[in-house]
Amino acid sequence: MGQTTLAGHVTALAEQVFATADALRRDAEEIFAAVDHPIISADLTPLRPRVIAALGGLITGAGVITVPLTDDLPGLEWWMGTGPEQRSRLVLDVDPDSDTFVDLARLPWFAVPRETGRRHVTGPYVDYVCAEEYTLTFTVPVRAGGEVTGIAGADVTVGDLERTLRPAMRAAHATVALVNTQGRIIAGSTARHVTGSLIRDPQIRAALGVRTAQALPGGVRVDPCPALPLAVITWDRA
Amino acid sequence: MGTDRTSTSARVFTPLDPHSRAETVVRRLTDAITFGLLTDAEQLPSEADLAAQLGVSRVTVREALVTLRQQNLVETRRGRGGGSFVRAPAAGHAPSLRARLAAMSLPQLRDTADHYAAIAGAAARLAAQRADTDDVRRIREELDARGRPLHRVERAFHLEVAAVAQSARLAHEEVAFAAELGTLLWSPIVPADGDAFDPHADHTRIVDAIAAGDDDRARRLTEDHVARAVERLVNLHLTLVDP
């Protein structure tokens, strides 16, 4: 079955991105565990070479961001760009009185892992804080002293993911779309299922809330990607 | 309209309260100082000139200057080289506002505003097509945060709408516009034209249209919203900057 292959392909890619985020999480937690003073933002600096090494391939942004530490600044070691020449460090305006203030608590890729203590896939969304790209962000909670103090994560642009999935989508030999659990299309095989649009069909939307594969009337299949808020929808050509 | 004409016109033509006129002058000058249209240490026109330019009596101007002195926004020096001088609060972005508005020609202002109306209108239209209930909630949250200056509410609101439109390019344009003209366009110094300008009410109507999936209406409301702000700014450009 083509759609199962596609869901499996997506799951493998997503788990690979999460593995990168998780490695950065482990590095950050080791750093936090090793310091013998209250943690300050500069303690995260040794993480830099590892963050930069994580960039490349599908990953266009990665790093660790924490809540404000004992020096009132967030730990922030987040880098963007795949090649050395486009590489840049994320700078966040953390002054609440500034026009360009970034309230981390309102950004799902930060807030959700921090509040739930669980990993999260944000998007597809317009990442106007970082790279101004249409992006998926994979984040995991980072702990210090048993508390979630921030996140480690990695970005994949929707364009790159779509390009990577194209052969598997063609191989499905049906109309297919990769969507998130809100029914937002990440990649689709026809112009009617264009990236960013929303699946409005109430039956399909209801099926996305159920985390098992389902066959719906009208030749529609919904295949969730295991342990991820993503699913593949297949419409039989018949 | 013909009935009761005498009593209606009687109310219209009752004398204005001189105190409210002094307050209006105070508010106008306070805003101008706060938003940098009048810069620190700048000399104000003489009492007589101010009275003539603002269309009020010298007594009204004098009363306003007393208030401004009490608020430490104006300093009056006697003798040769004396007069009233602006004492601007140490605000970061204020002087550049004045410089930018002064440097801008009306055609340039109109063109920038047209470009922006196209961006914001298109974003609202796409947002209405693509928003789910979570997205609508996020946009409404941007409006809930009270006490922020209008230009910041506008930036956050329109940026969120562009994000809900799922467009990185439109979001990019929103950020660029907020930096280029946003602070000026939504500056509270610009005199509001009666009830015609209520940006908060506009926002509510725009989100309602987005929530209803009414893309044409969301676009039109957004274009009107920008047009009203631009009209205000053009009026300010004509009356406050030009002598």
Side-chain angles (χ1 to χ4, degrees):
Chain A
M1 296 285 285
Q3 65 274 20
T4 322
T5 313
L6 181 54
H9 193 36
V10 170
T11 305
L13 281 175
E15 291 299 348
Q16 203 181 313
V17 178
F18 265 130
T20 301
D22 206 49
L24 291 173
R25 171 204 57 86
R26 208 168 37 241
D27 292 341
E29 287 178 350
E30 275 170 19
I31 288 173
F32 289 151
V35 295
D36 54 1
H37 52 255
I39 304 166
I40 57 169
S41 54
D43 289 331
L44 218 47
T45 310
L47 194 67
R48 188 166 302 177
R50 299 191 189 180
V51 170
I52 288 169
L55 298 173
L58 269 186
I59 295 174
T60 55
V64 172
I65 301 177
T66 73
V67 296
L69 299 170
T70 48
D71 56 347
D72 281 337
L73 292 172
L76 204 165
E77 210 50 65
W78 190 283
W79 287 73
M80 297 167 291
T82 45
E85 60 288 344
Q86 321 104 326
R87 197 166 288 151
S88 65
R89 181 169 178 245
L90 174 65
V91 179
L92 286 183
D93 185 344
V94 292
D95 173 7
D97 290 329
S98 158
D99 287 351
T100 50
F101 169 59
V102 173
D103 186 0
L104 285 171
R106 289 204 68 243
L107 300 173
W109 52 263
F110 187 85
V112 175
R114 172 154 158 71
E115 283 158 20
T116 63
R118 302 172 66 176
R119 70 180 196 176
H120 185 67
V121 182
T122 305
Y125 73 111
V126 176
D127 174 20
Y128 54 75
V129 170
C130 300
E132 295 191 343
E133 280 277 3
Y134 200 50
T135 305
L136 287 160
T137 299
F138 299 74
T139 44
V140 300
V142 170
R143 290 179 171 79
E147 300 232 345
V148 178
T149 79
I151 57 95
D155 291 328
V156 176
T157 73
V158 175
D160 286 346
L161 185 65
E162 196 270 345
R163 225 182 340 266
T164 308
L165 293 177
R166 191 134 294 280
M169 287 172 63
R170 255 200 302 272
H173 295 297
T175 300
V176 290
L178 172 65
V179 301
N180 66 13
T181 44
Q182 281 84 47
R184 177 90 57 206
I185 295 177
I186 298 163
S189 65
T190 74
R192 281 194 305 116
H193 303 101
V194 71
T195 296
S197 59
L198 210 55
I199 299 282
R200 301 272 182 194
D201 183 318
Q203 269 191 315
I204 299 179
R205 292 184 66 84
L208 289 171
V210 181
R211 300 304 296 153
T212 54
Q214 286 178 80
L216 303 175
V220 182
R221 275 188 61 82
V222 177
D223 289 282
C225 302
L228 292 164
L230 306 171
V232 172
I233 306 175
T234 311
W235 291 264
D236 286 342
R237 280 197 202 277
Chain B
M1 291 294 282
T3 60
D4 236 358
R5 192 178 159 76
T6 329
S7 69
T8 311
S9 54
R11 209 176 312 136
V12 171
F13 297 117
T14 52
L16 289 176
D17 177 0
H19 293 292
S20 78
R21 265 183 296 176
E23 275 167 27
T24 308
V25 174
V26 168
R27 201 178 329 130
R28 176 85 69 93
L29 292 175
T30 305
D31 286 345
I33 294 166
T34 313
F35 284 85
L37 291 161
L38 295 171
T39 52
D40 193 38
E42 181 171 339
Q43 183 167 13
L44 291 177
S46 70
E47 265 180 29
D49 286 348
L50 268 178
Q53 285 176 21
L54 296 169
V56 295
S57 71
R58 288 185 68 160
V59 176
T60 303
V61 168
R62 203 169 302 147
E63 195 185 337
L65 287 174
V66 167
T67 309
L68 288 166
R69 265 198 297 278
Q70 285 165 353
Q71 292 171 355
N72 269 328
L73 289 171
V74 160
E75 176 185 36
T76 301
R77 290 176 220 145
R78 312 233 168 257
R80 229 170 123 250
S84 293
F85 296 84
V86 172
R87 292 187 50 164
H93 67 290
S96 65
L97 276 191
R98 176 200 166 87
R100 285 218 313 275
L101 185 58
M104 205 168 234
S105 71
L106 275 185
Q108 193 186 359
L109 178 59
R110 200 227 63 217
D111 198 26
T112 312
D114 285 351
H115 180 210
Y116 180 60
I119 300 295
R125 180 171 161 272
L126 292 172
Q129 291 170 1
R130 295 177 180 163
D132 66 13
T133 46
D134 259 12
D135 295 326
V136 172
R137 179 184 50 74
R138 288 182 67 80
I139 303 175
R140 286 199 203 278
E141 274 173 14
E142 290 297 352
L143 303 178
D144 276 347
R146 303 270 171 237
R148 286 180 302 168
L150 180 61
H151 72 270
R152 217 178 288 167
V153 176
E154 290 285 348
R155 179 188 194 274
F157 172 75
H158 291 288
L159 187 50
E160 199 61 54
V161 170
V164 168
Q166 310 295 311
S167 170
R169 283 192 176 225
L170 292 178
H172 177 83
E173 292 289 338
E174 284 289 351
V175 171
F177 178 81
E180 187 186 352
L181 199 65
T183 24
L184 260 183
L185 186 63
W186 307 110
S187 162
I189 180 188
V190 188
D193 185 15
D195 296 333
F197 187 73
D198 185 348
H200 299 293
D202 287 355
H203 291 154
T204 308
R205 279 193 290 268
I206 293 167
V207 193
D208 288 346
I210 290 173
D214 191 339
D215 54 356
D216 286 341
R217 183 174 159 78
R219 170 182 224 149
R220 186 172 45 75
L221 287 171
T222 304
E223 286 170 353
D224 291 351
H225 171 65
V226 174
R228 275 191 288 273
V230 170
E231 201 178 301
R232 257 182 11 135
L233 194 58
V234 169
N235 282 336
L236 171 75
H237 193 282
L238 293 172
T239 60
L240 238 162
V241 172
D242 291 350

